[in-house]
Amino acid sequence: MRLRGGAAASAAVLGMVLVLAGCDDLEDLPLDDAASGSAQDAGPGRAVSPLDNPDGTEPGLAVITSDADRAEARALIEKVATKGRGPKTGYDRDEFGYAWMDSAPGGIPFARNGCDTRNDLLQRDGEDLRFRSGSDCVVMSMRLNDPYTGKAIDWTKSRATEVQIDHVMPLSYDWQMGAARWTEGKRQAIANDPLNLMPVDGRTNSSKGDSGPASWLPPNKQIRCSYAVRFAQVSLKYELPVTAPDKEMMLRQCGG
């Protein structure tokens, strides 16, 4: 029975910017080759299907394979509203609060637990976690089974940019689709909601920018239906439409 529910000073400065930024703020920033760590093909690890993880508190994005689950995925995506993408006028990352605040309102999971959002997500998805001495929050090293590339990344905090936190539904996309009119608190919520956040390979995250699914999908084709479902889950939770081409592409990933 399936349960429902639940990386020299210039290099240092660049690393700080990339760690703090959301996906849509990274597209013009290069990554130092030294940030590349060891990677190999990953197994499924602890990843959970987004259909079984509607609040984003469980790790990863497991592949959706069965006909029944793909039909369920299409039905969920069909509920997403569509409209044209608005102007980016006035968008700034700070409009969504400082990264990665622990004080986001709205009752989102992990908020106000004494640990910032980035470290919460590293703990959620990472394996073989090692923490800073004296801390049960700051992750110093881990192994990440990256859903976007299908690779396992052995990460350390000295190569911080190698793993970045992706906003599945990018913040500037949110802004253009309606979040520009939201309260500050609601924008802080979507920026820190684990449903909208995925630790992934840094270079892959940078390539996404603020693209919707019609313009960018994870290189790992097996995970694309799951990615589309997660995009839809965020859209539905925050009542944000997507563009018609984005919705069409989302449905195609799940056989529609």
Side-chain angles (χ1 to χ4, degrees):
M1 174 180 178
R2 192 188 335 190
L3 297 178
R4 305 283 181 194
S10 61
V13 171
L14 175 60
M16 179 66 71
V17 171
L18 291 171
V19 168
L20 295 179
C23 172
D24 45 329
D25 303 301
L26 298 173
E27 56 188 319
D28 297 324
L29 295 174
L31 293 177
D32 188 348
D33 287 340
S36 180
S38 59
Q40 59 190 27
D41 290 340
R46 302 180 296 116
V48 175
S49 166
L51 294 171
D52 295 321
N53 186 21
D55 62 0
T57 57
E58 300 298 325
L61 285 175
V63 179
I64 294 175
T65 56
S66 75
D67 290 341
D69 283 354
R70 292 171 74 83
E72 182 178 348
R74 292 192 299 272
L76 185 147
I77 295 167
E78 286 285 9
K79 297 178 183 178
V80 175
T82 62
K83 79 165 195 173
R85 193 161 173 169
K88 200 172 178 179
T89 306
Y91 169 74
D92 188 279
R93 173 63 177 84
D94 289 345
E95 293 288 344
F96 291 80
Y98 68 86
W100 297 94
M101 62 193 307
D102 183 41
S103 58
I108 62 171
F110 306 144
R112 304 175 187 273
N113 66 356
C115 189
D116 64 89
T117 304
R118 176 178 169 86
N119 279 292
D120 282 332
L121 272 293
L122 296 181
Q123 292 183 47
R124 184 194 70 183
D125 289 18
E127 300 180 35
D128 301 326
L129 299 169
R130 294 198 175 195
F131 295 88
R132 177 182 291 169
S133 178
S135 172
D136 58 2
C137 170
V138 181
V139 179
M140 300 301 292
S141 68
M142 66 171 190
R143 181 178 179 86
L144 177 71
N145 292 317
D146 171 30
Y148 286 7
T149 64
K151 300 292 185 180
I153 302 171
D154 291 317
W155 175 88
T156 66
K157 195 170 177 63
S158 62
R159 298 193 303 266
T161 59
E162 186 185 4
V163 168
Q164 296 170 11
I165 309 297
D166 178 40
H167 285 98
V168 176
M169 198 169 186
L171 298 184
S172 64
Y173 187 105
D174 300 338
W175 182 265
Q176 293 174 275
M177 301 308 286
R181 299 185 296 274
W182 287 0
T183 64
E184 181 182 37
K186 189 172 181 181
R187 290 196 293 265
Q188 291 173 355
I190 197 171
N192 292 276
D193 192 332
L195 184 67
N196 194 31
L197 298 172
M198 192 65 54
V200 296
D201 171 70
R203 290 183 180 276
T204 302
N205 182 49
S206 296
S207 74
K208 175 180 172 179
D210 63 356
S211 300
S215 302
W216 187 92
L217 289 166
N220 179 9
K221 294 181 179 180
Q222 291 185 319
I223 212 69
R224 289 179 176 177
C225 178
S226 297
Y227 177 81
V229 168
R230 180 51 54 83
F231 207 99
Q233 288 173 324
V234 178
S235 170
L236 292 168
K237 177 174 179 178
Y238 287 91
E239 300 180 328
L240 277 176
V242 303
T243 68
D246 284 336
K247 182 173 180 178
E248 179 183 357
M249 183 61 73
M250 290 158 70
L251 286 167
R252 284 173 55 188
Q253 304 317 303
C254 298

